[in-house]
Amino acid sequence: MPSDEIRRHLFLTGEKQIGKSTLLRRLIDACALDCTGFETRAFFLGGERRGFTLHGLVEMPPLENDCVVCVRVAQRHSVPVLPVFEENGAAILRKSLASPSPYILMDELGKLEREAHGFCRQVLACLDGEKRVLGVLQQCDSPLVEQIKARSDVTVITVTRDNRDMLLDRLRAAFQHT
């Protein structure tokens, strides 16, 4: 993967728990990339994962950051908390666009945002903006994910067990030339 293969925006995809977010964080740390945006973080009750929170990497009032963005209601079923996407998530992305940081992190995007139309519009506005977006895309059937993958300014790399260790060096080389 020569450095000229990385387009303006970079998204990683792959199986669940393969290391996509970890690889992206390692790239950000290794290249000291100044990022705003958001991370989704698991939250646990009684030692079991019960859902995810949305953690903004911008200045936010304490009660508006780290809100529950989805709740696990069955073994393989989670439901979105749409107001968190629509209010908090969209605000995080608007603040990210207004910040001086040159990169916006979107970790991660997938099927839960399907009905969060304002949030989805804000994701696309970030991709149309001046900043570079780094993110993770779930492997799922989602109009937003398909729109992102279809853009000519987006590189999507599939992370696997076989390539995840060597990808960091290749991505680091690509980002040191930008």
Side-chain angles (χ1 to χ4, degrees):
M1 174 181 48
S3 62
D4 55 61
E5 287 186 19
I6 301 292
R7 297 181 185 112
R8 178 168 183 71
H9 307 299
L10 171 67
F11 285 87
L12 302 179
T13 193
E15 296 175 15
K16 291 181 181 181
Q17 301 296 305
I18 201 73
K20 304 173 297 286
S21 297
T22 300
L23 177 59
L24 204 51
R25 283 188 205 99
R26 290 176 63 203
L27 172 66
I28 290 166
D29 291 344
C31 294
L33 303 178
D34 182 14
C35 293
T36 56
F38 66 87
E39 297 174 328
T40 52
R41 296 179 175 176
F43 79 89
F44 297 84
L45 288 174
E48 291 192 32
R49 192 186 82 219
R50 303 300 259 190
F52 288 90
T53 62
L54 192 65
H55 177 74
L57 303 173
V58 294
E59 274 298 311
M60 295 187 67
L63 292 178
E64 293 178 21
N65 207 358
D66 297 312
C67 290
V68 175
V69 75
C70 77
V71 177
R72 189 174 184 190
V73 295
Q75 182 64 29
R76 299 182 54 90
H77 183 67
S78 295
V79 295
V81 181
L82 291 176
V84 174
F85 281 112
E86 295 289 67
E87 296 168 26
N88 307 55
I92 289 166
L93 294 177
R94 281 192 300 275
K95 290 178 179 188
S96 295
L97 277 173
S99 82
S101 299
Y103 292 93
I104 298 175
L105 176 64
M106 296 184 188
D107 182 22
E108 71 187 62
L109 298 170
K111 60 186 174 188
L112 291 172
E113 302 90 347
R114 182 183 314 266
E115 300 301 320
H117 303 294
F119 175 79
C120 292
R121 281 191 300 275
Q122 199 61 50
V123 167
L124 297 174
C126 289
L127 291 169
D128 289 337
E130 297 295 318
K131 298 176 186 239
R132 295 186 72 181
V133 175
L134 306 171
V136 171
L137 298 175
Q138 292 177 348
Q139 288 184 322
C140 64
D141 180 25
S142 158
L144 178 61
V145 169
E146 293 307 315
Q147 279 183 284
I148 292 169
K149 288 166 62 176
R151 292 177 62 107
S152 62
D153 59 351
V154 169
T155 296
V156 178
I157 297 174
T158 301
V159 179
T160 66
R161 286 193 208 300
D162 293 335
N163 73 1
R164 67 182 175 196
D165 293 330
M166 68 178 180
L167 277 175
L168 178 60
D169 289 335
R170 292 181 176 179
L171 291 172
R172 185 177 3 183
F175 275 83
Q176 288 174 342
H177 290 77
T178 59

